[in-house]
């Protein structure tokens, strides 16, 4: 497979796993016909994707209902409902990163215990800017990172293609790099990027002691430490430390506002004020100085108020769901199934089954359409005869008991070929 084809496959897998937009009203009749006929080999991949999205939107019970799978009307209602409680709506709107945007930046800097923060429209831009600023300060454009790190796998080689950075892979093991690997790495590097949690390895985290050791090892090599913390918000239960203490191990931290906080988009980088001032200059050069951003920023503030305090409960219940999934597959007679990690490190984890990914995806779609219960979304190929999917437990998932999960597993397995 060519590099471009592989990148396309990876980006499609990420998009479909996270959820996709559904069909409009004009497609309802066609969708109903498809549902009656079943998935069928004549259906295109795009048609199936639309059916999955429509089924998930219509489902009465799901473990997670991401904002980007909802309608424009419902998202506007959500924004309108929460905006009054997070900002004075009679104040002027933002212009080129002032006012409301500065309010969010100050809030993030305070949460992460950093001197300052800068808001960015995307995480891809945010991390490129942060690391090119560090490269200028260290005199070394080499960024050490995991082979499964998001910038390496999902961003079309943006570090090297756009920002002149040189990524090097410390390890490809399905875990964060160890202190020994950092110390023994065979070439110098100016920055170490650590993705917390490491999504493509199963949303995994190190222990607090391991994380401290890794950051100390990097500094022994005179490297700066940057956290890819797109999902840092939900790391506190596993690491046993508050956000500012976790972020305090790094020289700079990137966070996202839509992955776990259910916002409309956007990201931020937090760190020393001199770094953030420079980052804002590069934000302008990269085209990130957007004229008005108040809907996205308001959504981020709502997420910090509403979702951030709930994340520990989601993490705790994800462990209940994961255990019930393991027990459910065993009781249903599936020869081999794996939940990874066995006890989730965050509110997200992987499930692996020995079936073709398309077979599992079709079974999940039919279950959602026919029962109104969405247990799984899209499955991806994990190897010969193996497939994996990502499970997220958020507010809707708190209503599921272990018995509910097992019943849904039994119904799902009954739809699989014998």
């Amino acid at each position: 497979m060519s590099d471009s084809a592989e990148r396309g496959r990876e980006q499609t897998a990420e998009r479909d796993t996270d959820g996709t937009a559904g069909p409009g009203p004009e497609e309802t009749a066609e969708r109903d016909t498809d549902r009656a006929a079943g998935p069928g080999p004549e259906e295109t991949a795009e048609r199936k994707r639309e059916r999955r999205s429509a089924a998930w939107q219509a489902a009465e019970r799901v473990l997670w209902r991401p904002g980007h799978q909802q309608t424009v009307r419902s998202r506007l209602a959500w924004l309108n409902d929460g905006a009054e409680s997070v900002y004075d709506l009679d104040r002027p709107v933002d212009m080129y990163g002032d006012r409301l945007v500065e309010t969010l930046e100050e809030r993030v800097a305070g949460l992460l215990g950093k001197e300052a923060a800068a808001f960015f429209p995307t995480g891809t831009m945010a991390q490129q800017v942060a690391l090119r600023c560090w490269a200028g300060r260290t005199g070394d454009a080499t960024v050490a990172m995991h082979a499964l790190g998001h910038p390496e796998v999902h961003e079309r080689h943006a570090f090297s293609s756009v920002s002149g950075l040189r990524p090097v892979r410390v390890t490809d093991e399905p875990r964060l790099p160890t202190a020994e690997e950092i110390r023994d790495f065979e070439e110098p590097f100016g920055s170490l990027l650590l993705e917390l949690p490491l999504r493509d390895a199963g949303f995994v985290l190190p222990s607090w002691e391991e994380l401290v050791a890794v950051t100390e090892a990097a500094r022994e090599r005179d490297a700066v430490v940057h956290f890819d913390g797109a999902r840092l918000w939900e790391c506190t239960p596993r690491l046993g430390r508050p956000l500012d203490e976790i972020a305090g191990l790094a020289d700079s931290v990137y966070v996202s506002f839509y992955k776990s906080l259910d916002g409309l988009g956007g990201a931020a980088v937090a760190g020393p004020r001199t770094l953030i001032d420079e980052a804002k200059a590069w934000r302008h050069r990269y085209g990130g100085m957007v004229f008005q951003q108040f809907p996205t920023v308001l959504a981020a503030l709502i997420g910090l108020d509403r979702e951030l305090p709930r994340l520990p409960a989601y993490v705790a219940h994800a462990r209940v769901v994961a255990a019930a999934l393991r027990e459910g597959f065993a009781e249903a007679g599936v020869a081999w199934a794996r939940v990874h990690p066995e006890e989730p490190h965050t509110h997200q984890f992987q499930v692996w089954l020995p079936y073709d990914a398309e077979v599992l995806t079709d079974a999940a779609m039919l279950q959602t359409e026919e029962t109104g219960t969405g247990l799984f979304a899209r499955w991806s190929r994990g190897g010969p005869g193996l497939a994996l999917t990502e499970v997220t437990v958020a507010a809707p998932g708190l209503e599921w008991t272990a018995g509910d999960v097992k019943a849904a597993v039994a119904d799902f397995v009954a739809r699989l070929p014998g």
Side-chain angles (χ1 to χ4, degrees):
M1 181 179 287
S2 68
D3 286 347
S4 60
E6 179 68 12
R7 286 196 299 271
R9 182 189 67 79
E10 291 160 344
Q11 288 155 0
T12 299
E14 180 182 24
R15 182 174 63 248
D16 281 356
T17 301
D18 283 345
T20 50
E26 70 280 3
E27 296 174 89
T28 300
E30 181 182 358
R31 184 184 66 222
D32 289 344
T33 300
D34 283 342
R35 288 177 63 178
E42 72 283 355
E43 271 194 303
T44 65
E46 177 66 16
R47 190 77 207 113
K48 286 187 180 182
R49 184 183 66 80
E50 291 172 349
R51 282 184 61 196
R52 288 197 304 271
S53 180
W56 202 266
Q57 287 183 45
E60 297 175 0
R61 168 170 282 189
V62 293
L63 291 167
W64 177 49
R65 199 177 295 279
H68 56 264
Q69 283 195 337
Q70 298 174 30
T71 64
V72 173
R73 183 181 301 279
S74 64
R75 287 301 269 169
L76 285 173
W78 173 86
L79 186 64
N80 186 64
D81 177 63
E84 194 83 54
S85 65
V86 298
Y87 195 74
D88 182 357
L89 303 185
D90 290 322
R91 295 180 62 185
V93 296
D94 61 292
M95 181 183 296
Y96 293 124
D98 66 359
R99 298 168 179 156
L100 177 61
V101 178
E102 293 172 336
T103 297
L104 175 62
E105 291 171 340
E106 292 169 5
R107 177 84 179 274
V108 171
L111 285 168
L112 299 179
K114 299 297 186 184
E115 288 183 347
F119 179 79
F120 285 84
T122 72
T124 300
M125 183 188 296
Q127 296 209 97
Q128 284 189 64
V129 166
L131 288 163
R132 78 171 298 151
C133 290
W134 283 125
R137 290 161 183 246
T138 64
D140 190 339
T142 303
V143 181
M145 59 190 300
H146 197 286
L148 294 176
H150 195 280
E152 273 290 87
V153 178
H154 297 294
E155 296 178 12
R156 295 179 180 264
H157 305 294
F159 276 12
S160 55
S161 299
V162 178
S163 298
L165 300 169
R166 178 174 171 263
V168 292
R169 300 180 174 191
V170 177
T171 181
D172 59 2
E173 293 294 320
R175 53 160 173 73
L176 273 293
T178 66
E180 291 74 17
E181 287 168 334
I182 298 302
R183 290 192 184 95
D184 296 341
F185 193 65
E186 61 270 16
E187 57 181 301
F189 53 87
S191 303
L192 171 66
L193 181 149
L194 296 173
E195 184 179 334
L196 301 175
L198 185 57
R199 179 217 176 148
D200 281 1
F203 304 96
V204 296
L205 287 164
S207 68
W208 172 253
E209 292 74 20
E210 289 168 336
L211 184 58
V212 170
V214 168
T215 58
E216 289 177 348
R219 293 204 170 87
E220 289 171 12
R221 301 191 55 155
D222 296 324
V224 299
V225 177
H226 171 80
F227 284 171
D228 176 343
R231 298 173 172 85
L232 188 73
W233 310 112
E234 60 264 35
C235 293
T236 54
R238 164 77 175 178
L239 295 176
R241 299 293 192 282
L243 279 169
D244 58 349
E245 191 171 349
I246 297 170
L249 295 179
D251 298 283
S252 59
V253 180
Y254 143 67
V255 291
S256 172
F257 298 117
Y258 72 88
K259 290 181 172 66
S260 304
L261 299 183
D262 200 29
L264 302 180
V269 171
R273 188 169 300 280
T274 55
L275 179 85
I276 299 306
D277 288 343
E278 182 183 359
K280 288 183 177 181
W282 279 107
R283 178 180 66 185
H284 197 170
R285 295 178 182 124
Y286 271 68
M289 186 66 80
V290 180
F291 179 54
Q292 289 184 346
Q293 302 175 94
F294 66 90
T296 304
V297 174
L298 281 172
L301 289 169
I302 293 169
L304 290 172
D305 268 19
R306 290 186 177 181
E307 290 300 302
L308 182 58
R310 298 173 181 172
L311 285 171
Y314 299 167
V315 175
H317 200 61
R319 295 167 183 168
V320 175
V321 171
L325 285 170
R326 280 198 309 273
E327 295 169 9
F329 282 118
E331 292 172 5
V334 176
W336 182 91
R338 184 175 182 187
V339 174
H340 175 71
E342 285 194 9
E343 182 176 279
H345 294 180
T346 71
H347 68 310
Q348 298 178 288
F349 55 90
Q350 294 176 341
V351 176
W352 291 70
L353 289 175
Y355 290 88
D356 180 78
E358 187 173 0
V359 169
L360 295 172
T361 299
D362 286 348
M365 177 175 63
L366 288 174
Q367 179 183 35
T368 308
E369 288 179 334
E370 294 172 2
T371 70
T373 294
L375 181 61
F376 302 119
R378 182 185 183 275
W379 291 75
S380 301
R381 183 177 184 273
L386 285 176
L388 75 146
T389 190
E390 294 176 345
V391 174
T392 299
V393 178
L398 297 180
E399 300 176 2
W400 291 55
T401 66
D404 293 333
V405 175
K406 291 181 184 180
V409 169
D411 180 78
F412 174 72
V413 171
R415 300 169 186 276
L416 301 177

